[in-house]
């Protein structure tokens, strides 16, 4: 039900070595239509990542090099403290962001999205248990999860949530999906079971939102005592 990084990552990854020159890296990005490239050693271990932003540091700091008084904004200096080093770099080892932010292929797509957000990156190197590169996953790969058809989503909710995961009678529950928005309606035995069904439906890949129209026969909600 929950997709992993292995399900969405790109396996055929263009890489460069630590000694790859600046211009060759730029040509690699343009030719491949990609925004970043992993830097690997001879054993395919990931050393870092060079992005378009890393290359643009040279242009950003060009005026400063020519003593024209350019100084990056404070926010940029705090977020990218190594900008000056990259601006003076000529090879991948001097230009790359290191260490590369990486993730296991077994991790969930949700974990990948959270890690990208926490580390403020647009892609992750996917590595095996030895730290060797096996793929790359980008924001675009994760956005593709929302392109799943309404029929696929409905089948997942019915088969994996209602019929397989929940240990309860759900035969009176209807599932309707339109543009990724799932509407759960009908009857379920307990109020707590309805809440579980809604919560787990939110976790299905491709779900944009969940509309809760469930009714329950037994209200087993226990209110939290005041001051608890």
């Amino acid at each position: 039900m929950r997709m992993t990084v292995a399900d969405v990552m790109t396996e055929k990854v263009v890489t460069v070595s630590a000694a790859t020159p600046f211009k060759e890296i730029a040509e690699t990005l343009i030719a491949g239509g990609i925004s970043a490239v992993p830097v690997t050693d001879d054993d395919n271990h990931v050393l870092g990542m060079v992005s378009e932003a890393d290359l643009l540091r040279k242009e950003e700091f060009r005026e400063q090099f020519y003593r024209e008084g350019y100084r990056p904004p404070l926010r940029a200096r705090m977020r990218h403290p190594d900008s000056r080093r990259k601006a003076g770099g000529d090879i991948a080892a001097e230009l790359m962001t290191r260490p590369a932010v990486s993730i296991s292929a077994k991790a969930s797509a949700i974990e990948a999205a959270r890690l990208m957000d926490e580390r403020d990156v647009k892609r992750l190197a996917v590595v095996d248990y030895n730290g060797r590169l096996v793929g790359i996953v980008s924001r675009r790969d994760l956005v593709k999860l929302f392109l799943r058809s309404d029929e696929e989503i409905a089948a997942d909710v019915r088969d994996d949530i209602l019929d397989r995961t929940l240990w309860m009678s759900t035969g009176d529950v209807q599932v309707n999906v339109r543009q990724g928005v799932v509407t759960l309606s009908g009857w379920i035995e307990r109020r707590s079971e309805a809440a579980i069904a809604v919560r787990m439906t939110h976790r299905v890949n491709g779900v944009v939102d969940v509309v809760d129209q469930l009714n329950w026969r037994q209200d087993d909600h226990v209110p939290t005592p005041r001051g608890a």
Side-chain angles (χ1 to χ4, degrees):
M1 180 187 69
R2 300 183 70 180
M3 289 192 181
T4 65
V5 170
D7 295 322
V8 297
M9 72 181 187
T10 299
E11 295 184 23
K12 295 182 179 180
V13 183
V14 178
T15 64
V16 297
S17 72
T20 302
F22 182 105
K23 190 170 184 179
E24 187 174 328
I25 297 171
E27 291 171 345
T28 299
L29 296 180
I30 296 300
I34 53 180
S35 59
V37 61
V39 183
T40 57
D41 63 15
D42 294 338
D43 202 25
N44 210 35
H45 290 107
V46 182
L47 304 177
M49 190 86 69
V50 179
S51 68
E52 293 170 329
D54 294 327
L55 299 186
L56 287 174
R57 299 294 176 220
K58 189 175 290 293
E59 189 65 28
E60 177 185 356
F61 279 78
R62 188 180 300 278
E63 291 181 349
Q64 187 174 13
F65 291 154
Y66 284 96
R67 302 181 184 278
E68 294 183 13
Y70 173 73
R71 184 174 176 79
L74 176 60
R75 179 179 297 180
R77 297 200 303 274
M78 292 178 66
R79 290 180 59 189
H80 306 287
D82 55 353
S83 293
R84 185 184 296 274
R85 170 182 64 82
K86 294 180 181 181
D90 296 321
I91 59 174
E94 300 165 342
L95 297 160
M96 67 184 183
T97 297
R98 58 176 187 259
V101 184
S102 61
I103 195 168
S104 166
K106 297 179 181 179
S108 70
I110 293 174
E111 289 178 88
R114 289 174 177 168
L115 183 57
M116 287 184 194
D117 184 55
E118 290 170 3
R119 301 296 296 273
D120 192 27
V121 294
K122 296 179 180 179
R123 82 286 302 167
L124 304 170
V126 186
V127 298
D128 63 15
Y129 62 93
N130 283 321
R132 293 187 177 91
L133 185 71
V134 296
I136 194 165
V137 61
S138 68
R139 288 178 177 175
R140 179 174 296 181
D141 294 324
L142 298 180
V143 169
K144 289 177 183 178
L145 293 175
F146 290 101
L147 299 182
R148 299 185 72 207
S149 70
D150 291 343
E151 291 75 18
E152 287 178 295
I153 295 171
D156 271 2
V157 173
R158 168 56 65 188
D159 298 340
D160 292 327
I161 301 295
L162 299 180
D163 293 345
R164 189 178 307 165
T165 304
L166 299 181
W167 293 85
M168 60 190 76
S169 175
T170 58
D172 293 332
V173 176
Q174 288 82 51
V175 180
N176 181 269
V177 185
R178 184 176 178 82
Q179 293 294 310
V181 178
V182 180
T183 299
L184 298 178
S185 59
W187 288 86
I188 204 163
E189 188 63 29
R190 295 178 177 84
R191 180 176 179 177
S192 61
E193 295 172 345
I196 293 172
V198 171
R199 185 167 64 249
M200 295 193 70
T201 299
H202 270 289
R203 298 177 180 177
V204 173
N205 287 299
V207 170
V208 175
D209 200 1
V210 179
V211 178
D212 179 10
Q213 295 181 355
L214 288 170
N215 301 291
W216 54 85
R217 298 182 178 91
Q218 179 181 340
D219 189 351
D220 60 346
H221 174 68
V222 178
T224 303
R226 288 188 177 181

